[in-house]
Amino acid sequence: VAQRFADGPLRGLHAVLTAGPTREPIDPVRYISNRSSGKMGYALAASLQALGARVTLISGPTNLPTPAGVARVDVETAADLLEHSLQLAADAQIFIGAAAVADYRVDAPADEKIKKNDAAMSLALSRNPDVIAAVRERYPDLFVVGFAAETEKLAEHARGKLERKKLDMIAANWVGRGRAFDRDDNALSVFWAGGERELPQASKAAIARDLGALIAERYGARA
Ligand code: CTP
Ligand code: CA
């Protein structure tokens, strides 16, 4: 993939982003996934590229075109996402986890299509690895930005994730009841150890430009 580099505050830096949903197979024709469209992550990839970064997007299944000048790696499961994230973050300075990673996977996906019968059915699930926490642990010097999608107690839950996952910054948005997922606009509350900023309702492209600028600012101010 040919990449072009803009001039800007992130020139010379490599930013790796995850975006979109993951898919966890049940059998060859079925999977568990979520409502993430990937739009926010893709818009942020374009914004970081415009700020001068070399950008690699690790993407779950979406219907979106790859932003101009951005390199893209396609993945399906959380396990794939983890493997590529650990690999690609090795030469990155900024890692952004915008993917909606499935928290659970099916223990034993069936090799053949599951046939129905009259009994009730249940699926045994196991916890997936936490990708962003694993990346942080492997690369302590990386500037790591997470996202949080919440239906309640936004600031409390987002700050909890910031601390637990040892992130440098977290961007939180309200979801559910028609908000954020698969829409073209969004609002974000961004938190870091020493502060916070509100990015009010706007198109995902406009929000991504503001968030990109804030990431560049906080990256520049890091200890
Ligand atoms: N994340 C991750 N790997 C997972 C789950 C989440 O890397 N297995 C990342 C997301 O990409 C996001 C951040 O962690 O940057 C927060 O995701 P979220 O789903 O809001 O948090 P969880 O820790 O999974 O907590 P919960 O879903 O219970 O609220
Ligand atoms: Ca989750």
Side-chain angles (χ1 to χ4, degrees), residues 26-211:
I26 297 171
D27 70 12
V29 298
R30 303 181 178 101
Y31 55 81
I32 296 174
S33 191
N34 59 67
R35 294 184 190 279
S36 169
S37 64
K39 283 176 187 166
M40 194 62 232
Y42 276 57
L44 187 55
S47 147
L48 296 175
Q49 198 276 340
L51 290 168
R54 172 164 79 92
V55 179
T56 305
L57 187 56
I58 310 174
S59 179
T62 72
N63 291 316
L64 302 171
T66 308
V70 168
R72 170 170 157 188
V73 176
D74 289 324
V75 298
E76 245 182 65
T77 63
D80 292 344
L81 186 70
L82 176 65
E83 186 189 322
H84 284 94
S85 295
L86 289 173
Q87 238 169 56
L88 287 161
D91 75 344
Q93 291 73 43
I94 297 174
F95 182 89
I96 299 172
V101 187
D103 289 330
Y104 297 89
R105 67 175 177 279
V106 178
D107 276 343
D111 289 333
E112 308 297 340
K113 186 184 170 198
I114 299 170
K115 302 306 279 183
K116 67 174 180 267
N117 59 39
D118 289 335
M121 145 133 190
S122 57
L123 281 173
L125 305 178
S126 295
R127 269 286 297 277
N128 266 331
D130 192 309
V131 174
I132 205 166
V135 166
R136 153 56 72 226
E137 202 167 329
R138 173 89 57 99
Y139 304 109
D141 296 334
L142 199 56
F143 190 83
V144 180
V145 181
F147 274 79
E150 306 293 348
T151 61
E152 55 166 1
K153 299 182 192 156
L154 185 86
E156 184 185 326
H157 285 150
R159 284 221 177 262
K161 288 170 189 177
L162 181 74
E163 278 169 35
R164 269 200 309 284
K165 299 175 195 246
K166 301 190 173 70
L167 308 177
D168 295 290
M169 180 185 275
I170 193 159
N173 60 175
W174 294 101
V175 293
R177 301 172 205 96
R179 291 176 300 205
F181 276 163
D182 209 19
R183 290 181 47 149
D184 291 322
D185 59 355
N186 197 8
L188 291 176
S189 302
V190 188
F191 304 93
W192 58 94
E196 66 179 274
R197 191 167 308 169
E198 294 296 321
L199 305 182
Q201 196 78 25
S203 71
K204 283 185 177 172
I207 289 274
R209 276 194 295 275
D210 289 352
L211 182 56

